[in-house]
Amino acid sequence: MTDANDKMTPAGDPVVPPDVQNSVFITTLDKLYNWGRKRSVWPLMFGLACCGIEMICTAAGRFDLERFGMGLMRASPRQADLMIVSGTVTKKMVPQIVRLYNQMAEPKYVLSMGACATGGGPFKEGYNVVSGIDKFIPVDVYVPGCPPTPQALLYGLLKLHEKMEKQSIRSVSWYKKDVGEAIPVPVLGPDIVDVRRVPEIKSNLVQAVQPAQS
């Protein structure tokens, strides 16, 4: 009779007896679930600027994105798992990006590729450029560079894989009943307006008008 602690590794994993090690594989449901997901991530097929060219190079033969099961880029957001925002995000493009993001099924991820998508880049002070796509949709991984090399994008994708490996079926949001609502599509007028900030804008407007009236 052996102690129960003798059947566990220091990491807490069960020990497989030597006589069946070649025919038995022990793992957890989370590891198996995340292994399958991270090896079948389908990116959404669209590019915004010069970063899009680097993204295309990553999918070509020299760097071979298909090694990670990610070579099948989908033209439909309903069949995509990953949105790679590759390039300068203009105010005219933001509503389309948010609409595509809302049409993607859970679980979905966003990778901000390059300085322009992350913070506006050299066009940050431009009247028509958004200072970061994370002001409108959640971003999981940021890849710096202007533009990032294919190697940098691959590193960002590996970081996304690491994030996926840490997720658990018991805690992920897409299996819960209270699933979050879709992100409101920003309104493009004289400027881009995030609908979620309308109460804040009205409050600031009232505070600015009251001193002028008094």
Side-chain angles (χ1 to χ4, degrees):
M1 188 172 181
T2 58
D3 186 34
N5 294 329
D6 295 337
K7 298 181 181 180
M8 304 294 290
T9 65
D13 298 326
V15 175
V16 180
D19 54 335
V20 294
Q21 284 183 355
N22 294 330
S23 57
V24 175
F25 179 77
I26 296 179
T27 185
T28 63
L29 183 59
D30 282 337
K31 287 184 179 179
L32 183 62
Y33 172 70
N34 291 330
W35 172 81
R37 291 196 306 122
K38 76 176 185 178
R39 293 299 178 181
S40 59
V41 177
W42 290 356
L44 184 61
M45 185 172 60
F46 85 103
L48 298 178
C50 47
C51 288
I53 304 300
E54 300 297 325
M55 181 180 66
I56 295 171
C57 293
T58 309
R62 180 176 181 182
F63 300 97
D64 192 13
L65 195 58
E66 189 58 49
R67 291 179 295 165
F68 307 102
M70 305 177 67
L72 187 60
M73 294 192 178
R74 306 305 295 168
S76 169
R78 296 170 182 85
Q79 298 176 357
D81 309 293
L82 171 64
M83 173 182 284
I84 302 177
V85 184
S86 55
T88 310
V89 182
T90 62
K91 295 176 181 178
K92 187 176 182 180
M93 194 64 189
V94 170
Q96 323 310 327
I97 294 177
V98 174
R99 186 174 291 109
L100 290 172
Y101 177 81
N102 288 334
Q103 292 177 358
M104 293 172 63
E106 294 282 2
K108 55 188 174 184
Y109 302 91
V110 177
L111 185 147
S112 178
M113 182 180 178
C116 291
T118 301
F123 311 105
K124 182 178 178 64
E125 301 299 331
Y127 69 93
N128 64 328
V129 175
V130 174
S131 298
I133 190 59
D134 55 359
K135 297 181 182 296
F136 298 93
I137 59 176
V139 174
D140 298 282
V141 177
Y142 297 89
V143 178
C146 187
T149 62
Q151 295 92 331
L153 178 57
L154 288 175
Y155 183 76
L157 295 174
L158 293 177
K159 286 298 180 182
L160 178 62
H161 287 175
E162 291 180 8
K163 179 175 182 178
M164 297 171 69
E165 287 176 349
K166 297 177 182 178
Q167 294 177 325
S168 173
I169 296 178
R170 293 171 293 181
S171 59
V172 290
S173 59
W174 51 85
Y175 287 135
K176 296 181 179 180
K177 293 182 179 180
D178 53 342
V179 180
E181 298 181 356
I183 299 176
V185 177
V187 178
L188 178 61
D191 200 348
I192 190 74
V193 178
D194 190 343
V195 180
R196 295 170 295 183
R197 297 189 60 193
V198 169
E200 176 188 350
I201 295 173
K202 288 183 178 180
S203 176
N204 293 338
L205 181 61
V206 171
Q207 294 177 5
V209 171
Q210 286 178 348
Q213 292 178 346
S214 60

